[in-house]
Amino acid sequence: MEKNTGGCYMAVVSLLEELQQHLSPNNLISPFSKREIHILHDAVTSMHSLLTHSSGLTYNYHLINQISENRILSLAQNASKYLDFWTVKLNLWNLFKPIREIPSLAEITQEMIAINHELNIFHHSSSTGADNPSSWLIPLTTTVNPEAKMIGLENEFVAMLDCLTGHPSKLKVFPIIGMAGVGKTTFSNKLYHNPLVVHHFYIRAWVTVSQQYQVRKILLTILNCVANEDSFDLQGRSEEELEEKVYRILKQKRYLLVLDDMWDTKAWDELKRVFPDDKNGSRIILTSRLQEVAVHASEDTPAHCLRCLSMHESWELLSSKIFVGGESCPQDMVEVGKQIAYKCHGLPLTIVVLGGLLSKMNKKIDVWESVAQSVRSLVMEEADQCRQTQHILALSYNHLPDSLKPCFLYMGMFPEDYEISVKKLTWLWVAEGFIRSTTHKSLEEIAEDYLADLIARSLILVKRRSSRGTVKTCYIHDLMRELCLRESQKHNFLHAINGCGQLRLHVEDMSGVDLPPDFGEVPPPYLHDLQRLSFHSSIHEYSNKASFPYTRSLMSFEKLSVSGHRRFLGMSFKLLKVLNIVNTNLMELPGEIMMLTRLKFLALTIQSSLDIRNLSEFRLLQTLFIDCEWDGYLIRTFWDMLELRHFHMKRSCQSYLSTYSLLSQSQLPLVSAVIESLLPLRLLNNLSTVSTVRPISCTEKMLRSMPHLKSLGVYESEEDYQFRGWFERLVLLPELEKLKYVFSNPFVSSSLKPGRLPPWQSLPPNLVKLTLSGTSLPWDDMSKLSMLPKLEVLKLKNYAFSGTVWNSWTGGFCCLKFLLIGSTNLEIWETDGNHFPNLRQLVLRHCRFLEEIPYGIGESPLLETIELHRCKNSAVISARSLQEEQQSLGNDGLTIYITEG
């Protein structure tokens, strides 16, 4: 039976996060006593724990069904509404009537405790075997079609064919992974029936494992493929007898087994003992959507991640399904057909389903143009073939632990084909309350683990990786996004708005409703219970037409320009916690936003400069991400935001000296001491990111107040001369991992340039990534950076170092993996391989004076790529010579990328 407990779990998570907000020392608005909230919080925490511990278990659906998912869902939602109403006292007349029908906080707590008692009893009886989960297991079967057409992937197919029929002789497992519908079964099927494979292996067997497997039935399937006995005679055998029989049949024979659609590492552990290794070239192909399963089954062979088809391959497959028997596509329809194929995003499952639908339609250009406008809805609609598509995709979602379901569904907030910043995504997950701390890891680290899990399950795809090799941006396939939207609407989790009229505005009849005296005037029409809204277009169409009393999150991806006199959006969001509208170019910070004191995540773009004194009311803010100009000076009220985790002001260009316009230049050194004496001693224990500030904000007391800071960005200009010496204080940040230091102009007079770097012992000991720009340091100072014990990424931009010669013979850079040098007057660089023992990637940009790549770089044992962008021709020639030299030594792993100009 399909599990579907995500709705009640997400409601419980949302309520728990709401209660923790009421318990926050920074929350000054809760009308409830701490004792009331603590009692309810304990009950909800207990329920969350029970739901989490049973998540992913076979009996989870039955446990929740027994207690009643709707009962839990309704209770959690009512509790949340009750808290919201009495906290904010929403000035919306028709919230008053339903609130009278909701039980009191004490009644809600008692009901929560009663449900917990039932959950405990059922959880205990299920986990101790009172109910045998295996009795619910119904194995799925898949018919293997040897005639299924495979297009594309020819190179991958030949490579895998060689692996199956070549060396080594020991038993090898070859995992094939990928998202649902990418063609793993078809690919394996073609291998399985290839004449060379049929001839090479004495025994072959195909087994579909599926989510709900039984070892006994898998063994019977193998025996049905390889044994000549009557299947009726095998039915009466015990599982141990079947295992022994499979082992004896496979023993001393070269066999090929395909274990298709494996979901669980336990399934492999229960089966592997029946597969003998007689060093005769036997092979096992294992397909899965889960990277974890692939790694577990084959530790010594990397999994082959099956790619989506190219546009050309997609059209070839689509046309082969529509035009059969030599029929060809009319030329005027080819371009429309290619558009349809492109919208399938290279997913064979989608292409095959569409091909089946189009083959039954009139082959006319207007019909196809209509199809091109609604590819996803056609694939996901209710036809039999389409229901099968939905089921295949939904299996990945249903298999998720409940803790991962809201993170996956949240991907529906982003538009089609949107490249999502991983950093921003994890910050959003934390602000939404999806991440629960259960280990010594930070919330962001747990969020990164969640993302890695979703990627390993082929639900989220990697777009770009950072210089450290971590995932920098990601995206979701359109069909998976459609699944997110459908599941989200089912649970009222989020709504994505693509056009005006998608949300139906309505007014309810006010007659007979007694309004409280402080409700004031009747508000405009509004929409009930929309938790999260994402406007991909037409947000302006809803201005002054609707208010959203229960909306917690609002995103807008429509590019807008809002003038200063225009009321911001014209909509009322009393309970908003997440506001992400970076595509809206605001002239200034709107007053409407200043009223949103419950915000946890705020991302904006402002055309004018921003005074951060305006942000002092956001006591619950966790993430502030604003693209604007500001003076880079952290004022005293910054330390009132105790919940703050990430402070990211994208630009820091405005002079802060205007703040002290009455002071003369000679008086400026006194400013820092005055500021520091006024600062409180409160620690910002949650603060992880600060960017971009000026040196005046890097005093000793300021840095000591951020003990867990991991990422810091500093912008410095000539006017900061009076506040230098800050670099030496960075040693006060023991957990600092990333530092970006930008000096405004590398060509100022030497008296105004930054000083030299301090000794490496005075630098942050845990620094992993360092970016320097415009600092014009001497190359001799690189020896100090080379001693940093954990430095993996070093980016030197815009004359970060100045001088014509760099001799790096002293050893060091023991962990450096990525080195970028950009825009420099460097002419001669000499080094050896011992200086960069772990270097994997070297990038040179605009190094127009560098004569050649040092020969010693080629001696770096792990070097994979060298990139040259607009560099001197002699440097390009030396890079190619270095590559040829490496190839002559048998090293084909070095790749050269060159951009001329």
Side-chain angles (χ1 to χ4, degrees):
M1 185 178 292
E2 181 182 287
K3 293 182 292 180
N4 192 15
T5 62
C8 65
Y9 177 86
M10 286 183 278
V12 169
V13 167
S14 177
L15 175 58
L16 188 57
E17 196 271 340
E18 181 88 4
L19 290 167
Q20 288 176 333
Q21 184 167 303
H22 278 269
L23 293 173
S24 167
N26 238 13
N27 186 10
L28 306 177
I29 58 176
S30 178
F32 306 102
S33 72
K34 293 292 184 184
R35 183 176 179 276
E36 287 179 291
I37 300 297
H38 269 297
I39 294 173
L40 180 55
H41 180 269
D42 290 345
V44 179
T45 300
S46 176
M47 178 174 288
H48 175 266
S49 178
L50 285 165
L51 294 177
T52 301
H53 289 161
S54 64
S55 176
L57 299 179
T58 305
Y59 62 83
N60 185 41
Y61 173 80
H62 305 271
L63 183 155
I64 304 303
N65 191 46
Q66 181 90 1
I67 305 304
S68 175
E69 178 180 4
N70 289 335
R71 185 175 161 201
I72 298 174
L73 182 64
S74 176
L75 186 64
Q77 289 177 343
N78 280 341
S80 183
K81 287 182 180 179
Y82 190 92
L83 292 169
D84 289 340
F85 180 82
W86 291 113
T87 298
V88 185
K89 295 182 180 178
L90 298 179
N91 194 15
L92 296 170
W93 66 270
N94 43 0
L95 285 181
F96 181 71
K97 183 178 180 180
I99 211 71
R100 292 182 300 183
E101 301 168 2
I102 295 178
S104 69
L105 203 61
E107 292 172 322
I108 289 171
T109 303
Q110 289 303 313
E111 176 69 5
M112 194 76 69
I113 293 172
I115 292 178
N116 281 344
H117 181 66
E118 296 175 45
L119 282 170
N120 258 314
I121 294 174
F122 196 79
H123 187 283
H124 178 73
S125 64
S126 298
S127 60
T128 54
D131 283 308
N132 182 6
S134 64
S135 64
W136 297 323
L137 298 178
I138 304 172
L140 300 176
T141 58
T142 300
T143 302
V144 180
N145 176 17
E147 303 303 322
K149 189 173 183 61
M150 187 188 76
I151 289 177
L153 309 175
E154 288 83 3
N155 293 336
E156 293 91 335
F157 184 84
V158 171
M160 186 64 72
L161 200 59
D162 289 342
C163 291
L164 292 177
T165 58
H167 295 286
S169 59
K170 70 174 184 177
L171 174 66
K172 294 282 287 183
V173 179
F174 293 97
I176 299 173
I177 62 173
M179 67 176 290
V182 78
K184 301 182 294 295
T185 300
T186 302
F187 186 81
S188 304
N189 186 25
K190 285 298 178 183
L191 287 168
Y192 184 80
H193 287 95
N194 183 270
L196 179 59
V197 169
V198 173
H199 175 75
H200 184 76
F201 293 98
Y202 184 76
I203 285 178
R204 294 177 305 129
W206 181 292
V207 181
T208 300
V209 182
S210 78
Q211 278 183 297
Q212 299 171 330
Y213 70 93
Q214 287 183 336
V215 172
R216 177 182 178 80
K217 295 204 172 185
I218 292 175
L219 296 171
L220 286 171
T221 303
I222 295 175
L223 289 172
N224 285 335
C225 291
V226 302
N228 295 321
E229 297 184 37
D230 191 332
S231 60
F232 180 79
D233 295 334
L234 296 172
Q235 293 294 332
R237 304 284 184 94
S238 68
E239 189 171 299
E240 291 75 16
E241 290 176 311
L242 294 175
E243 287 182 357
E244 182 179 357
K245 191 165 187 63
V246 169
Y247 184 85
R248 289 185 179 279
I249 289 176
L250 298 180
K251 186 68 176 170
Q252 301 300 327
K253 299 182 182 69
R254 185 163 58 232
Y255 60 85
L256 171 67
L257 298 179
V258 178
L259 302 177
D260 189 36
D261 198 26
M262 185 173 281
W263 288 79
D264 197 338
T265 57
K266 184 181 176 184
W268 171 255
D269 291 338
E270 291 180 315
L271 290 169
K272 65 181 180 181
R273 59 178 173 267
V274 305
F275 306 141
D277 183 8
D278 295 311
K279 308 296 188 295
N280 58 4
S282 292
R283 301 287 186 257
I284 296 174
I285 296 175
L286 183 152
T287 76
S288 181
R289 306 181 193 186
L290 312 179
Q291 190 175 42
E292 176 192 16
V293 173
V295 171
H296 182 78
S298 179
E299 296 178 354
D300 62 344
T301 305
H304 177 72
C305 186
L306 213 59
R307 66 173 175 84
C308 292
L309 302 181
S310 67
M311 180 179 174
H312 173 75
E313 293 166 342
S314 298
W315 167 237
E316 186 181 352
L317 178 58
L318 182 65
S319 58
S320 72
K321 295 296 178 183
I322 303 171
F323 303 100
V324 294
E327 186 183 3
S328 61
C329 179
Q331 193 57 40
D332 63 336
M333 296 178 64
V334 169
E335 289 305 315
V336 181
K338 288 182 177 179
Q339 290 178 29
I340 296 173
Y342 173 76
K343 292 189 175 183
C344 293
H345 289 270
L347 197 63
L349 174 68
T350 316
I351 298 167
V352 170
V353 170
L354 265 179
L357 293 172
L358 286 170
S359 66
K360 300 171 185 176
M361 296 181 178
N362 291 328
K363 295 179 178 64
K364 295 181 179 180
I365 193 167
D366 58 335
V367 174
W368 279 26
E369 286 174 342
S370 176
V371 169
Q373 301 301 317
S374 54
V375 168
R376 287 186 314 282
S377 59
L378 276 173
V379 173
M380 299 293 282
E381 66 185 6
E382 294 303 317
D384 289 341
Q385 192 176 17
C386 299
R387 276 204 301 270
Q388 182 182 2
T389 305
Q390 290 183 54
H391 175 71
I392 291 171
L393 297 176
L395 279 176
S396 292
Y397 172 74
N398 294 331
H399 191 71
L400 283 176
D402 282 337
S403 57
L404 290 181
K405 286 182 177 178
C407 296
F408 172 65
L409 294 184
Y410 203 73
M411 301 297 285
M413 294 285 280
F414 301 94
E416 297 175 27
D417 307 323
Y418 191 81
E419 187 173 350
I420 306 164
S421 163
V422 165
K423 177 172 65 177
K424 201 167 181 181
L425 177 64
T426 54
W427 293 356
L428 282 164
W429 284 352
V430 171
E432 291 280 2
F434 299 156
I435 313 299
R436 316 300 308 171
S437 179
T438 56
T439 66
H440 64 280
K441 293 183 177 182
S442 69
L443 295 178
E444 287 78 8
E445 289 171 330
I446 297 173
E448 289 169 3
D449 290 343
Y450 281 14
L451 178 63
D453 198 345
L454 290 169
I455 290 172
R457 293 168 182 270
S458 305
L459 287 169
I460 292 178
L461 305 174
V462 175
K463 186 71 172 182
R464 287 190 293 155
R465 291 189 178 272
S466 70
S467 49
R468 293 177 62 190
T470 57
V471 181
K472 186 174 184 177
T473 61
C474 61
Y475 69 104
I476 185 171
H477 193 280
D478 271 5
L479 276 187
M480 284 298 180
R481 179 177 173 275
E482 190 71 17
L483 175 66
C484 287
L485 295 176
R486 286 173 180 263
E487 288 294 323
S488 294
Q489 288 185 346
K490 187 187 305 181
H491 301 298
N492 192 26
F493 181 74
L494 67 84
H495 294 263
I497 313 304
N498 294 311
C500 186
Q502 190 171 339
L503 292 179
R504 184 171 60 87
L505 306 181
H506 62 276
V507 183
E508 294 189 6
D509 183 11
M510 291 189 301
S511 59
V513 178
D514 296 324
L515 303 181
D518 60 342
F519 257 50
E521 295 181 4
V522 176
Y526 69 92
L527 301 153
H528 282 288
D529 293 355
L530 299 181
Q531 296 286 315
R532 296 173 183 86
L533 285 174
S534 180
F535 287 90
H536 303 164
S537 65
S538 303
I539 188 170
H540 58 286
E541 298 292 341
Y542 292 91
S543 297
N544 300 311
K545 295 179 181 177
S547 62
F548 300 84
Y550 289 122
T551 298
R552 309 298 180 84
S553 304
L554 173 67
M555 292 190 186
S556 175
F557 296 91
E558 184 180 17
K559 292 188 180 297
L560 288 176
S561 179
V562 180
S563 60
H565 64 273
R566 178 180 172 184
R567 185 171 182 262
F568 171 67
L569 301 182
M571 292 180 280
S572 174
F573 301 96
K574 298 290 186 180
L575 300 174
L576 211 59
K577 294 189 301 185
V578 170
L579 180 60
N580 181 12
I581 51 171
V582 290
N583 285 343
T584 300
N585 291 311
L586 303 171
M587 297 303 298
E588 59 187 17
L589 190 66
E592 291 85 355
I593 291 180
M594 297 301 302
M595 302 297 292
L596 303 175
T597 56
R598 296 165 65 89
L599 279 176
K600 290 194 169 188
F601 183 101
L602 177 60
L604 303 169
T605 297
I606 299 177
Q607 294 300 311
S608 59
S609 61
L610 176 68
D611 188 341
I612 67 167
R613 284 176 292 188
N614 293 332
L615 306 175
S616 60
E617 295 301 317
F618 297 117
R619 300 293 181 89
L620 301 177
L621 202 63
Q622 293 180 352
T623 296
L624 178 70
F625 189 100
I626 301 184
D627 185 353
C628 68
E629 289 186 9
W630 78 300
D631 57 24
Y633 163 51
L634 297 176
I635 59 173
R636 185 183 183 279
T637 52
F638 175 81
W639 278 263
D640 291 334
M641 295 188 284
L642 295 178
E643 304 292 330
L644 197 62
R645 308 181 74 87
H646 307 286
F647 178 83
H648 187 93
M649 305 286 276
K650 201 168 181 181
R651 287 174 281 157
S652 180
C653 303
Q654 180 191 5
S655 171
Y656 57 72
L657 295 183
S658 59
T659 308
Y660 309 106
S661 57
L662 299 180
L663 298 174
S664 67
Q665 284 289 108
S666 62
Q667 291 176 301
L668 283 175
L670 301 174
V671 173
S672 182
V674 171
I675 293 170
E676 185 153 334
S677 67
L678 294 174
L679 279 175
L681 296 176
R682 303 172 80 180
L683 295 180
L684 299 177
N685 284 314
N686 296 317
L687 192 62
S688 175
T689 306
V690 171
S691 181
T692 303
V693 295
R694 301 285 280 275
I696 194 174
S697 295
C698 296
T699 67
E700 178 179 348
K701 185 173 282 188
M702 286 178 170
L703 295 180
R704 286 189 184 278
S705 72
M706 309 170 188
H708 303 299
L709 195 69
K710 288 183 168 56
S711 180
L712 174 65
V714 179
Y715 174 88
E716 184 177 352
S717 69
E718 303 96 293
E719 71 179 25
D720 293 297
Y721 182 83
Q722 304 288 339
F723 303 103
R724 292 202 175 137
W726 62 272
F727 209 108
E728 291 85 345
R729 302 187 196 109
L730 296 183
V731 74
L732 300 173
L733 301 173
E735 297 184 22
L736 191 70
E737 296 177 354
K738 299 178 183 179
L739 172 65
K740 184 174 184 179
Y741 170 26
V742 177
F743 189 79
S744 60
N745 183 4
F747 305 112
V748 297
S749 63
S750 57
S751 62
L752 295 177
K753 288 182 179 179
R756 298 187 64 169
L757 293 175
W760 71 270
Q761 297 92 336
S762 298
L763 297 173
N766 290 306
L767 207 61
V768 174
K769 180 178 180 180
L770 174 62
T771 301
L772 298 174
S773 178
T775 48
S776 197
L777 296 164
W779 285 106
D780 288 348
D781 274 10
M782 283 290 283
S783 61
K784 301 173 183 178
L785 299 181
S786 73
M787 301 304 292
L788 289 171
K790 297 183 179 181
L791 189 66
E792 295 182 8
V793 175
L794 179 59
K795 296 184 177 182
L796 309 175
K797 302 179 178 181
N798 190 27
Y799 284 83
F801 283 77
S802 183
T804 58
V805 179
W806 175 24
N807 291 313
S808 50
W809 299 102
T810 57
F813 288 117
C814 61
C815 292
L816 194 69
K817 299 177 181 178
F818 180 96
L819 174 61
L820 179 147
I821 304 175
S823 297
T824 176
N825 59 347
L826 182 65
E827 297 177 10
I828 300 172
W829 175 18
E830 296 180 344
T831 189
D832 60 34
N834 294 327
H835 199 57
F836 300 99
N838 280 293
L839 189 66
R840 288 166 169 77
Q841 189 171 0
L842 172 66
V843 180
L844 302 175
R845 296 183 186 275
H846 302 278
C847 296
R848 299 184 182 276
F849 304 102
L850 184 65
E851 294 292 339
E852 62 181 9
I853 307 295
Y855 180 81
I857 282 291
E859 298 174 352
S860 300
L862 302 178
L863 189 63
E864 298 172 352
T865 62
I866 298 177
E867 297 182 26
L868 296 96
H869 304 278
R870 296 178 174 84
C871 293
K872 197 170 185 177
N873 191 51
S874 60
V876 172
I877 293 172
S878 70
R880 287 177 171 151
S881 298
L882 193 151
Q883 183 184 36
E884 292 171 1
E885 174 71 16
Q886 290 296 306
Q887 288 173 344
S888 69
L889 297 173
N891 177 18
D892 296 325
L894 179 59
T895 304
I896 307 294
Y897 296 99
I898 297 172
T899 302
E900 305 288 352

